[in-house]
Amino acid sequence: MLLEVIRDGGPRTFRLVGELDLSSLPGLEQAMKPVLADAGDLLLDLSELAFMDSSGVGFLVRASQALQDRGRVVLISPGPMVQRLLELTRIAEGRGNLEVRSGPVE
């Protein structure tokens, strides 16, 4: 399954559909490069992300580092498998600009 990166609402809101792994990472990085260059929160709806591996976790960490104090990476509605990975990696701990939310995109 491929990864689709769909602009969903605002200019900094995206829905990730499919699988985020090493093979789909380059497309996501390319889509996010201009967004991460500008200030503002990046909202990623993960409700339709069926799978994510460590390369996806690495991307999220790099995205939060790229934004630093210019915005947050907000992960919205991860499914059970992705939520479990986020919990196991403790990705949001110690990162003031990376947040995991359950619920719809606001």
Side-chain angles (χ1 to χ4, degrees):
M1 179 181 269
L2 299 175
L3 178 69
E4 289 183 76
V5 180
I6 302 166
R7 193 174 298 268
D8 195 29
R12 299 180 66 79
T13 303
F14 297 86
R15 185 166 30 109
L16 303 185
V17 179
E19 297 182 355
L20 175 51
D21 59 17
L22 189 58
S23 66
S24 61
L25 184 62
L28 177 60
E29 289 176 328
Q30 185 171 354
M32 294 296 116
K33 189 174 182 176
V35 177
L36 294 173
D38 293 332
D41 292 350
L42 171 62
L43 305 176
L44 298 175
D45 180 347
L46 305 183
S47 62
E48 296 179 66
L49 189 63
F51 175 81
M52 181 169 67
D53 69 6
S54 62
S55 59
V57 172
F59 166 78
L60 297 173
V61 169
R62 288 189 302 278
S64 73
Q65 291 170 338
L67 285 175
Q68 296 179 350
D69 62 348
R70 299 176 301 117
R72 298 173 298 155
V73 176
V74 182
L75 309 176
I76 301 166
S77 299
M81 194 284 305
V82 174
Q83 177 69 37
R84 182 72 177 136
L85 177 62
L86 297 173
E87 290 170 359
L88 286 172
T89 60
R90 299 179 181 191
I91 190 170
E93 289 184 19
R95 295 187 192 287
N97 72 337
L98 199 150
E99 177 182 332
V100 181
R101 288 188 199 161
S102 57
V105 175
E106 297 172 357

